[in-house]
């Protein structure tokens, strides 16, 4: 097995794609003409967005993310050499500031923001071996 992609169910797929381009500098790989599904270029594993109603169409029940509610117990981690600049860019683009950059005891710098839907996004430096 290998991780192929992670799908976040979101309220508005095109708006989320635009946000991730502006806030994090990601590039879209694919946006379906229906506006119900998209994928971003993120390396070997794609980050994808699907419209919330697609969960129901797939026979699933999910707790949707909302910015004014507690974040779900999951996060998207984006690795960058400059966490401070990435954090500032994301907040300027409309991300909710959750935790400013902090140095962790193991040497990694980590910050947290929340996206348009309230999904927790970790911005971190690579972990050195």
């Amino acid at each position: 097995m290998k991780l192929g992609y992670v799908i976040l169910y979101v309220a508005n797929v095109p708006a989320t794609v635009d946000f991730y381009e502006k806030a994090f500098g990601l590039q879209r790989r694919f946006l379906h003409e229906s506006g119900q599904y998209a994928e971003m270029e993120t390396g070997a594993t794609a980050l994808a967005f699907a419209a919330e109603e697609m969960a129901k169409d797939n026979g699933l029940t999910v707790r949707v993310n909302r910015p004014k509610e507690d974040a779900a117990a999951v996060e998207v981690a984006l690795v960058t050499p400059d966490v401070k600049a990435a954090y500032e860019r994301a907040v300027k683009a409309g991300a909710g500031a959750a935790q400013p950059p902090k140095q962790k005891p193991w040497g990694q710098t980590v910050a947290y923001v929340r996206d348009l839907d309230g999904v927790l996004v970790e911005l971190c430096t690579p972990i050195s071996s």
Side-chain angles (χ1 to χ4, degrees):
M1 293 270 191
K2 69 176 185 174
L3 182 60
Y5 47 93
V6 173
I7 300 173
L8 302 177
Y9 289 100
V10 299
N12 183 316
V13 173
T16 300
V17 168
D18 289 343
F19 172 78
Y20 272 74
E21 288 175 331
K22 290 177 187 137
F24 307 116
L26 299 180
Q27 294 179 353
R28 73 182 72 191
R29 174 187 294 172
F30 171 77
L31 174 59
H32 189 267
E33 62 189 31
S34 69
Q36 300 292 296
Y37 181 81
E39 295 179 359
M40 307 301 288
E41 292 290 350
T42 55
T45 302
L47 176 61
F49 306 110
E52 292 170 353
E53 56 268 16
M54 287 186 72
K56 290 178 190 157
D57 292 345
N58 290 329
L60 304 172
T61 302
V62 298
R63 184 185 68 78
V64 295
N65 292 288
R66 294 294 181 257
K68 294 185 183 201
E69 297 176 9
D70 289 343
V74 64
E75 64 184 57
V76 172
L78 300 175
V79 180
T80 178
D82 190 344
V83 172
K84 183 177 183 290
Y87 179 83
E88 290 170 357
R89 175 184 179 158
V91 171
K92 184 177 179 184
Q99 290 283 329
K102 292 181 183 174
Q103 185 80 24
K104 297 295 183 177
W106 52 89
Q108 190 179 34
T109 302
V110 176
Y112 295 93
V113 296
R114 293 189 61 193
D115 75 6
L116 296 178
D117 289 282
V119 174
L120 196 58
V121 178
E122 175 184 338
L123 305 169
C124 59
T125 54
I127 295 177
S128 58
S129 50

